[in-house]
Amino acid sequence: MTIVLLHGNPETPAIWDDLVAEWGRDDVVTPALPGFGCDIPAGFGCTMDEYLEWLVNFVQCLDGPVHVVGHDWGGILVARLAIVAPSTIASWASDALGALHPRYEWHAAARVWQTEGAGEDLVASMTEPPLEERRASLTALGVPPAAARILAEVADQRMGAALLALYRSARQPAMVAWGEQPERARATRGMFLHATSDPYVGAARGTRDLAATMGAEVGELVGLGHWWMLEDPRAAADVLEEWITREGRQASR
């Protein structure tokens, strides 16, 4: 078995460190999306379709059965993977199903990143000030201190270039198209990780209906926000362990 934890934006695999330590498993891998704490491969344009192709190739190289858990953009990619290539995975869990709902509207920061000029200015504000100033700015925006520390440390020009290309490739109606034929995900087993205080994609209108169409159950992360894996890594590990253990039992029947 291999468990994949896939981070989002503007993040690196470091967001999973506390959860992995609490979980204590030795079959967990935390890859970095190209450009997010690592180099961008030559010829890789950092579009949503290229990241999806990268994820498909990544999971196909792992020892199975493969269980994938995605957060933020990682969650969007995992949900899309479940729709277009369900046979590549044993199960999936995502906190970002709402982004694939036909009524989804991008949040304010995403709309800025999708705007030429303004997006570059926002990236500069994320990467150029001194570290402590970047941390303070994130905290002032409501980012939990543990997440603000990690996000401030990892933001660099590579990540800025990657996130701008990614979000600009995802202007609507691109996300609506990615959410088409969600019932295809029923070919594998899924879970919507519902962080009940997440103001971004988790609480989008119709998310539970979309989860039901995809054949996914709901795993509640009560009182936790967007960075649930940092806010309460023990609770998050417990939810995921219960899910993986049950998946293993069902697969052995």
Side-chain angles (χ1 to χ4, degrees):
M1 176 189 301
T2 305
I3 302 169
V4 180
L5 302 181
L6 190 61
H7 68 87
N9 168 74
E11 303 164 353
T12 71
I15 66 161
W16 300 114
D17 289 352
D18 291 350
L19 186 153
V20 171
E22 287 284 349
W23 205 353
R25 298 185 65 112
D26 60 4
D27 52 3
V28 177
V29 296
T30 58
L33 294 169
F36 290 78
C38 59
D39 289 334
I40 300 172
F44 190 84
C46 298
T47 65
M48 56 193 289
D49 290 326
E50 287 170 298
Y51 278 112
L52 178 63
E53 181 180 5
W54 169 88
L55 179 57
V56 171
N57 291 335
F58 181 81
V59 299
Q60 288 178 331
C61 294
L62 299 175
D63 293 331
V66 178
H67 304 269
V68 291
V69 179
H71 161 65
D72 188 82
W73 255 105
I76 296 172
L77 291 166
V78 164
R80 181 60 177 167
L81 174 69
I83 293 172
V84 300
S87 64
T88 63
I89 52 178
S91 74
W92 59 273
S94 168
D95 66 2
L97 291 191
L100 299 186
H101 193 276
R103 293 196 303 272
Y104 181 68
E105 296 180 2
W106 278 114
H107 54 83
R111 293 196 297 272
V112 175
W113 286 323
Q114 290 170 340
T115 304
E116 282 73 9
E120 281 77 5
D121 290 343
L122 181 54
V123 165
S125 73
M126 296 165 55
T127 59
E128 295 178 359
L131 177 60
E132 289 303 321
E133 185 176 329
R134 299 201 302 270
R135 287 180 182 172
S137 296
L138 288 166
T139 303
L141 291 173
V143 177
R149 172 180 54 80
I150 292 174
L151 301 186
E153 290 174 354
V154 300
D156 59 18
Q157 291 183 341
R158 292 176 306 183
M159 186 182 294
L163 77 86
L164 289 177
L166 174 58
Y167 276 91
R168 289 171 184 178
S169 73
R171 294 185 181 102
Q172 293 292 19
M175 298 306 300
V176 172
W178 260 29
E180 293 176 350
Q181 297 184 295
E183 66 279 357
R184 294 177 60 184
R186 289 179 174 271
T188 184
R189 301 187 62 85
M191 178 170 64
F192 167 43
L193 285 166
H194 183 204
T196 60
S197 296
D198 184 350
Y200 300 106
V201 290
R205 291 181 302 169
T207 301
R208 284 178 176 268
D209 291 340
L210 178 59
T213 302
M214 297 176 74
E217 66 179 73
V218 178
E220 295 282 354
L221 296 164
V222 179
L224 299 184
H226 191 64
W227 289 280
W228 44 269
M229 72 297 296
L230 290 165
E231 295 172 41
D232 194 338
R234 181 67 263 164
D238 288 345
V239 169
L240 293 175
E241 177 63 22
E242 195 277 335
W243 166 251
I244 294 297
T245 301
R246 182 151 42 85
E247 283 300 299
R249 288 197 301 266
Q250 293 174 340
S252 65
R253 291 175 181 173

